[in-house]
């Protein structure tokens, strides 16, 4: 483990040196009638090392915790209201959750399912926001509230670091169980949907949506959900955020209900933070996640953040199974370059009533550059 951590740290330093050049942020173009156009994006290459208990695999990939993407906003005000259009696509680079022992996939393989947003929005200060098109359902992100500063490297979606790898049994044979199968969060989706977000009241916002999977052929998937969000950065020395959501899914006649939530609190003077998340699926599966973080201004370039987290799940793939994950992460920001360099280590442990599986370990070292 120590050798791997040294190698990962060296890779992160090298990657930071390559990418730590002045960022060319996407310009904003404006028209005489107040309209505007702005493009944006990010790239997030990472070195991944995975040990499945028998073999090691090392690859340069795209970090699925926050994948590379490109998009733009078009906005046009109409009095106090604003019409907005958003387009965003994943770059569909080979991701940390999309490789395994037998297949590392194509370097890039774009399909229409990589469209993240094709979304028309009507923003009103009095009545809220009305949206239609491909985009986030109300429950999307409800498990991801995090104020630790290390979310790019470690968060409640613990499978993002190595979700495609197969677990090995005690004899060393590969099983059909993938890491992503048994470390779920039940977070909301992006769908072709209609959505409503209420105006903010005392920090609270209510959202609701109805959508279908319009990008996958023959998906036959319908969803509707409701979410309550809270954010307040003016509670004395504390910033508090939280979300709770319920999502109903009908897929080819099979129905399920997911109840999910997350919350985070940051003590600004000390930089200490606490994040929690959890979820329950009525057809089987539940989990809890807790994370402690610390952020400090150690160097002039930007803030440095550290975190430790723990995930505990059960009944994910079969009744009586258990899934545990422990992770640590460090992230260094470079404010002038819009860059975050990071290194993270994660362990996966899973067992069911019939089979004993070997533990897996993943290391990520990379950098996210936003523009």
């Amino acid at each position: 483990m120590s050798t791997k951590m040294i190698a990962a740290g060296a890779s992160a330093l090298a990657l930071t040196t390559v990418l730590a050049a002045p960022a060319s942020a996407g310009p904003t173009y404006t028209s005489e009638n107040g309209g505007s156009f702005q493009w944006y994006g990010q790239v997030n290459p990472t070195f991944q090392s995975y040990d499945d208990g028998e073999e090691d695999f090392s690859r340069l990939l795209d970090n699925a915790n926050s994948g590379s993407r490109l998009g733009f906003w078009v906005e046009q005000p109409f009095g106090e209201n604003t019409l907005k259009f958003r387009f965003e696509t994943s770059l569909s680079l080979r991701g940390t959750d999309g490789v395994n022992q037998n297949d590392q996939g194509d370097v890039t393989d774009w399909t229409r399912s990589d469209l993240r947003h094709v979304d028309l929005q009507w923003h009103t200060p009095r009545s809220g926001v009305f949206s239609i098109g491909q985009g986030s359902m109300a429950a999307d992100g409800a498990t991801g509230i995090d104020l630790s500063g290390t979310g790019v490297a470690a968060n409640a979606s613990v499978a993002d670091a190595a979700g495609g790898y197969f677990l090995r049994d005690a004899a060393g044979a590969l099983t059909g169980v993938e890491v992503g199968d048994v470390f779920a969060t039940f977070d909301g989706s992006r769908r072709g949907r209609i959505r409503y977000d209420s105006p903010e009241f005392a920090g609270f916002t209510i959202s609701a949506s109805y959508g279908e999977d319009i990008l996958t052929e023959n998906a036959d998937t319908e969803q509707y959900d409701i979410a309550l969000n809270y954010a307040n950065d003016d509670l004395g020395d504390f910033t508090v955020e939280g979300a709770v959501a319920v999502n109903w899914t009908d897929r080819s006649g099979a129905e399920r209900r997911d109840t999910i939530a997350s919350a985070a609190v940051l003590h600004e003077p000390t930089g200490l933070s606490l994040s929690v998340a959890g979820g329950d699926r009525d057809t089987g599966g539940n989990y809890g996640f807790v994370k402690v973080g610390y952020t400090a201004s150690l160097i002039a370039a930007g803030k440095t953040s550290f975190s430790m987290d723990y995930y505990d799940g059960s009944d994910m793939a079969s009744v009586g199974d258990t899934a545990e994950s422990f992770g640590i992460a460090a992230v260094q920001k470079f404010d002038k370059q819009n860059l975050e360099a990071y290194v993270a280590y994660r362990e996966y442990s899973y067992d069911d009533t019939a089979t004993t599986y070997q533990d897996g370990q993943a290391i990520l070292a990379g950098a996210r550059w936003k523009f």
Side-chain angles (χ1 to χ4, degrees), residues 148-168:
S148 67
T150 64
V152 65
N155 53 59
S157 298
V158 298
D160 285 348
Y165 285 95
F166 296 103
L167 298 175
R168 290 188 183 271

Side-chain angles (χ1 to χ4, degrees), residues 207-229:
S207 305
S209 60
Y210 169 82
E212 298 183 11
D213 185 349
I214 60 175
L215 300 180
T216 304
E217 292 187 8
N218 303 316
D220 192 19
T221 300
E222 297 180 65
Q223 291 181 308
Y224 55 100
D225 57 12
I226 187 169
L228 176 66
N229 287 268

Side-chain angles (χ1 to χ4, degrees), residues 30-51:
T30 59
S31 64
E32 293 182 356
N33 60 0
S36 65
F37 171 91
Q38 183 178 37
W39 57 271
Y40 65 91
Q42 65 180 43
V43 290
N44 194 1
T46 192
F47 166 82
Q48 179 202 66
S49 177
Y50 184 75
D51 182 351

Side-chain angles (χ1 to χ4, degrees), residues 115-337:
L115 289 172
R116 294 168 58 87
H117 298 276
V118 186
D119 191 16
L120 191 65
Q121 305 174 4
W122 180 246
H123 289 246
T124 72
R126 303 173 188 273
S127 302
V129 180
F130 303 85
S131 306
I132 185 169
Q134 173 70 17
S136 293
M137 297 284 288
D140 188 21
T143 66
I145 304 298
D146 189 335
L147 296 172
S148 67
T150 64
V152 65
N155 53 59
S157 298
V158 298
D160 285 348
Y165 285 95
F166 296 103
L167 298 175
R168 290 188 183 271
D169 62 22
L174 288 178
T175 69
V177 180
E178 297 181 6
V179 170
D181 294 334
V182 293
F183 288 90
T185 64
F186 312 139
D187 197 37
S189 309
R190 288 182 298 275
R191 295 284 185 253
R193 89 291 188 241
I194 55 174
R195 171 173 170 167
Y196 171 72
D197 297 88
S198 74
E200 182 269 335
F201 178 75
F204 290 94
T205 303
I206 298 176
S207 305
S209 60
Y210 169 82
E212 298 183 11
D213 185 349
I214 60 175
L215 300 180
T216 304
E217 292 187 8
N218 303 316
D220 192 19
T221 300
E222 297 180 65
Q223 291 181 308
Y224 55 100
D225 57 12
I226 187 169
L228 176 66
N229 287 268
Y230 178 77
N232 194 333
D233 60 0
D234 193 26
L235 291 173
D237 291 336
F238 294 90
T239 294
V240 177
E241 296 183 11
V244 59
V246 182
N247 174 40
W248 294 267
T249 301
D250 185 338
R251 178 175 287 121
S252 300
E255 298 182 358
R256 70 168 187 249
R257 183 188 69 250
D258 296 329
T259 304
I260 54 177
S262 63
V265 58
L266 169 66
H267 185 240
E268 295 174 3
T270 63
L272 293 172
S273 64
L274 174 67
S275 306
V276 295
D280 178 83
R281 175 165 289 174
D282 66 340
T283 57
N286 59 83
Y287 76 96
F289 172 84
V290 61
K291 180 181 187 181
V292 293
Y294 172 66
T295 298
S297 298
L298 301 181
I299 63 175
K303 291 185 177 181
T304 308
S305 299
F306 306 92
S307 68
M308 299 177 58
D309 64 66
Y310 174 72
Y311 173 105
D312 181 67
S314 59
D315 302 331
M316 287 294 183
S318 62
V319 176
D321 68 6
T322 59
E324 294 181 288
S325 180
F326 168 76
I328 56 175
V331 176
Q332 176 61 57
K333 289 188 175 182
F334 297 88
D335 294 335
K336 289 185 179 180
Q337 291 77 26

